[in-house]
Each structure stands twice: as C-alpha cells, then as structure tokens.
Amino acid sequence: MSSPNPSSVAPPAGVVSFEAARHLVEQHAVGACPGEVETVDLLAALGRVLAEGIAADRDFPPFARATRDGYAVRSADLAQLPAQLQVMGEVKAGEWPDPGVCSVGPGQAVGIMTGAPLPAGADAVVMVEYTALTGTAVEVEIRRSVNPGENFVPRGAEARAGDLLLDRGRRLDHAAIAIAASVGKSRVQVFRKPRVAVLSTGDEVVEIDATPGQAEIRNSNSYSLAAQVQNAGGDPVRLAIAPDERGRLRELIKEGLSCDLLLLTGGVSMGKYDLVEQVLGELNAEFYFTGAQIQPGRPVVFGSCSCGAGALARVPAPMSPSARAGAPAPPKKYFFGLPGNPVSTMVTFELFARPMIQALAGMTPQPLIFLRARLKSEIRTKTGLKRFLPAVLSGEFENAEVELARWQGSGDIAALAQANCYVVIPPDRERIEVGEWVPLLMR
Ligand code: AMP
Ligand code: MG
C-alpha cells in the first residue's frame, strides 16, 4: 500500500509543459560556468569543448588550387573547338610552378594535377577527360571550353589568414579536429569536463555484480546514465545506491552536490517511499519544476541546492549576508531528479539533463533536432501528455519510415535497445494514420 508524501516540505514549483520545462533548463544553463582550462593533445580533444578560438594561420587554400587533373589554360583560348595548345610543362601537387618556365601565355597550356598550384597566366583548368595529346606530347587538343575560374579554388576563398574557424565553446568532432590539424594545432585548450554525480535510489536496487534477491533488480540506471553523461561531454561519478531512507539519502545527496551536477534516479513519484523531493526540500533546495507533461518521464524534477560539500561554485548564487561580509557564497549546484523507470530515466536525461551538461562543459546548449518520417503503422494513444515513444526508423535511402517499437512500458529496456529513435506525439493527438509525416528525435 502506498500513500502520498507528506506535504510539509512540498516544493513550490509545479508540473509544466514539455516546452516550458525545456526552456527553464535552457534559461538556467545560460548562467552555468564551465570549469578550468587544460591543454590536451589534439586527438585526446575529440568530444571536448574548446576553451580557445582557432584561427586560420594562413590563407585557405594558401594558393590557387586545382581541383581536377587536366590542363591549366586561358579560357579565352577555347572560343573555337577543338583548340590546339602548346604544352609548356607540368605541375604536380606539392610543386611550385616556376613562373619563368611553367606559365601559361596565349595559345599555351600546362599539365596540372589535383591539389597543385595554378601556374601564372592560367584562369581555368580543363579536365583531362576533354583533352588528347597529339603528336610528340608538346601539343594538346582541347575539346571543351571552360569558364574563367573553373576547376580551381582561388587563394583565400575558403578563409583568410586570421579568420576565426572554430569558436571557443565548440565541441570538437572529426571535422573540427581536421580544422585544428590544418592550422597546425597539435595541442588545444579545452575546458575540464564537468563532474556529474549519478545517484540511484531504491531499496530494491542492487549493484550489478551482486546476485539480486527475488524482489531486487540490478542498478542499470547508474550505467545508462553514466554512459549518457560521457556521451554528452561530462565525467560521470557513480555514487553508492541510496536506500529509501532519509538519513542515508541525505548523506549521498550532499556527496553528489559536491560535483558540478547531480543526477538522481528513482524516488520522485508519489509513493510513500519516494523521498527524493522531500529530502532535497529539507536541504532548502529550490525547485524550478516538479514534473513535466510528458510520457515517459512525467515526475522529472529540476532544481538547485547550495548545501553540497566543497567544490567551486558553478552557478552564480545570489549574495548572501555572509558573502557580503567577505565569506565565500555557498556553492549552488543544479540537480535533476529523474524517474526510476529505465526508459523514463534515459528519455528525461536527453530532454533535460543534456543541455545543462553541455553548458557546464562550456558549450552553448544545442537545440533538440526533430526529424520527420512517414508513419508505417497507425498509432492510437491518449491525449494530455506529449509522448516520446521508442520507435524504429527504417526504409531505404531517402524513403524513411517509422513505427513504434513493441514495448511493455517505461521499464522495457529490451524494446528501447531495439529502437533507434522516439516518435513525438503532441498532447492533443489520439490517433495518427499510416503515411502521416511524424516528428521524431534520434536517440
Ligand atoms: P521509482 O521511480 O523509484 O518509483 O522506480 C520506478 C521503477 O524503476 C521501479 O520499477 C524501479 O524498480 C525501477 N528502478 C528504479 N531505480 C532503478 C535503477 N537504478 N535501475 C533499474 N531500475 C530502476
Ligand atoms: Mg523507488
């Protein structure tokens, strides 16, 4: 039997729409400060966030660069086709064409390879496919005309020396790594990863290497969350499992608040032993929302608290009397209370915790990107909540189609593992027909 929580420490915030909840997180994320700066080797910076801007060290490309194998020509020479041009020489990638020997005057051409500098006098490159060497290879026949500027990239067309190529706050992916490499940055300055405490709660939850009792389950949430934290650019700190008992829960929450962010799972519903909100309330936490009109994940909680041990303040806290008197303000940390059902935990992390981790990592939080695909089989549901239902996106090439994964509800991680996206269903829709374009979030 379960009865509702006592309301003595009821938080003031309420249940809000998905959009309002997301905006609240984004608004708070704007004020979150990243950690210290460190310098790491370029490849070790994959997935890290730049603490410095990276500028072009020279023009890109640094010379007019041929983009085709063929002949560098004067386009005006090709008014009459076929045209016979005198071959003055050849320039390979990595060679600098000597202007005295290897340049293009009227009626002349120079053989050129992709990546080689355009010789003086030329204003275009004709692809080798449209040419034929005649006689002793000192003459080439050109069978197609070209426009001035064709088949080469002018010097500096991609970037000028000094142009900013990567902003501070940019997370490094393989394309950004390519840019850093191309300007000679073998080491880069990045922000320290935010330390994100992961605290699972529940009397039934046991460590994954324990043999669970008949009514016990293994702590999968700690691991899925730690993996999501890593993927979002954070450094997970998995805490001990908190029982559904105030004293130990309070201790572990305080421990978690010494990190840069605290993620709790379980214990945020309305059951008699769902103590997370109560204990946070007793620690004078401030709640920004205590539920979102979504499924899965309705009981999700977001707030902040200034009672953790140690660590630098990562949130500008209002000036307290002690701070005005010279003592440092107590560090204020954000927390999310995520519902314990494993699918709810994963979904609410993506919807709400990820942007905060991005901000603490030094990035501008990234917007959610909704794609669209045609629905493969009809969906019937109830109105009232915005739903993010595990689904399978398939189809060949551009013909994307999506259908719901067969799942047994928010505890069904087997179904979620088969799914590759979530179909998003607005709160006012009861039935969605086959063939309709539906929004989805990749996972
Ligand atoms: P709660 O949110 O505490 O009411 O838990 C909801 C459901 O999620 C229950 O069936 C729990 O047993 C399950 N659950 C809670 N915490 C975890 C966890 N750490 N790992 C896996 N399942 C969990
Ligand atoms: Mg529980």
Side-chain angles (χ1 to χ4, degrees):
M1 211 188 109
S2 79
S3 55
N5 285 331
S7 56
S8 56
V9 287
V15 178
V16 298
S17 70
F18 161 69
E19 290 76 8
R22 174 82 190 187
H23 284 145
L24 277 163
V25 175
E26 286 168 349
Q27 282 159 15
H28 283 275
V30 170
C33 314
E36 310 81 56
V37 173
E38 57 195 35
T39 304
V40 298
D41 285 345
L42 182 54
L43 263 189
L46 180 65
R48 304 291 299 272
V49 178
L50 274 177
E52 60 174 335
I54 291 188
D57 63 331
R58 55 181 184 158
D59 288 347
F60 278 80
F63 49 83
R65 183 185 62 211
T67 56
R68 297 276 192 261
D69 298 316
Y71 289 87
V73 297
R74 293 173 173 242
S75 53
D77 283 348
L78 308 183
Q80 302 270 319
L81 292 175
Q84 309 293 328
L85 301 178
Q86 187 190 357
V87 179
M88 305 306 292
E90 180 186 275
V91 50
K92 296 194 294 189
E95 266 178 11
W96 191 255
D98 177 349
V101 186
C102 211
S103 60
V104 181
Q108 296 178 341
V110 164
I112 193 164
M113 309 299 146
T114 301
L118 195 73
D123 68 355
V125 172
V126 184
M127 287 165 67
V128 71
E129 290 87 330
Y130 306 125
T131 68
L133 280 176
T134 52
T136 53
V138 293
E139 240 186 36
V140 63
E141 183 177 287
I142 310 280
R143 296 171 180 163
R144 245 200 210 189
S145 63
V146 277
N147 292 317
E150 219 172 308
N151 296 328
F152 77 93
V153 184
R155 174 176 175 164
E158 293 160 4
R160 288 285 180 194
D163 283 356
L164 193 62
L165 300 178
L166 296 174
D167 285 318
R168 182 175 186 267
R170 157 86 188 231
R171 193 169 186 204
L172 289 150
D173 62 4
H174 57 276
I177 295 264
I179 290 176
S182 69
V183 303
K185 294 283 292 184
S186 54
R187 285 172 66 75
V188 289
Q189 288 182 11
V190 294
F191 291 110
R192 174 175 65 74
K193 290 185 195 179
R195 297 177 73 238
V196 181
V198 175
L199 175 53
S200 287
T201 72
D203 282 342
E204 77 282 28
V205 183
V206 298
E207 290 300 354
I208 63 167
D209 41 12
T211 306
Q214 275 185 309
E216 292 178 336
I217 52 151
R218 293 197 181 92
N219 181 13
S220 63
N221 285 350
S222 245
Y223 288 84
S224 59
L225 276 177
Q228 286 176 291
V229 166
Q230 275 179 9
N231 180 273
D235 192 6
V237 179
R238 286 184 311 98
L239 304 183
I241 297 163
D244 294 320
E245 181 271 307
R246 286 164 195 276
R248 181 70 180 136
L249 179 59
R250 183 181 298 116
E251 253 174 50
L252 285 164
I253 286 178
K254 283 182 157 183
E255 189 182 330
L257 289 168
S258 69
C259 287
D260 301 311
L261 177 68
L262 168 61
L263 303 179
L264 298 113
T265 83
V268 289
S269 306
M270 295 301 285
K272 187 174 172 185
Y273 300 104
D274 289 325
L275 303 172
V276 165
E277 275 175 57
Q278 281 179 52
V279 170
L280 282 161
E282 289 162 12
L283 292 168
N284 293 321
E286 196 178 339
F287 291 89
Y288 307 120
F289 57 80
T290 53
Q293 284 151 0
I294 57 170
Q295 194 248 339
R298 190 174 186 279
V300 60
V301 171
F302 171 47
S304 67
C305 188
S306 318
C307 60
L312 289 168
R314 300 294 290 277
V315 181
M319 283 283 263
S320 64
S322 65
R324 275 184 229 112
K332 179 178 165 183
K333 304 292 175 59
Y334 287 111
F335 62 80
F336 290 90
L338 309 178
N341 264 312
V343 177
S344 312
T345 311
M346 294 187 223
V347 171
T348 48
F349 176 94
E350 291 303 325
L351 298 179
F352 305 116
R354 182 179 281 272
M356 183 57 80
I357 292 176
Q358 291 172 333
L360 290 167
M363 284 173 76
T364 308
Q366 299 297 292
L368 286 167
I369 296 178
F370 294 89
L371 308 176
R372 270 173 197 273
R374 273 189 197 281
L375 192 63
K376 209 170 157 185
S377 24
E378 183 194 66
I379 298 177
R380 281 166 186 269
T381 181
K382 293 192 193 116
T383 56
L385 299 175
K386 185 158 199 158
R387 290 171 208 271
F388 297 84
L389 303 181
V392 180
L393 180 67
S394 62
E396 201 179 11
F397 302 121
E398 298 93 330
N399 302 314
E401 42 185 24
V402 69
E403 67 184 329
L404 293 188
R406 236 169 276 187
W407 72 321
Q408 304 298 318
S410 308
D412 191 350
I413 38 179
L416 189 75
Q418 300 300 318
N420 54 13
C421 65
Y422 303 102
V423 164
V424 184
I425 302 174
D428 58 348
R429 295 294 301 273
E430 272 185 310
R431 183 172 170 171
I432 304 181
E433 308 288 348
V434 172
E436 197 173 316
W437 287 90
V438 289
L440 52 93
L441 270 180
M442 295 311 289
R443 80 154 179 81

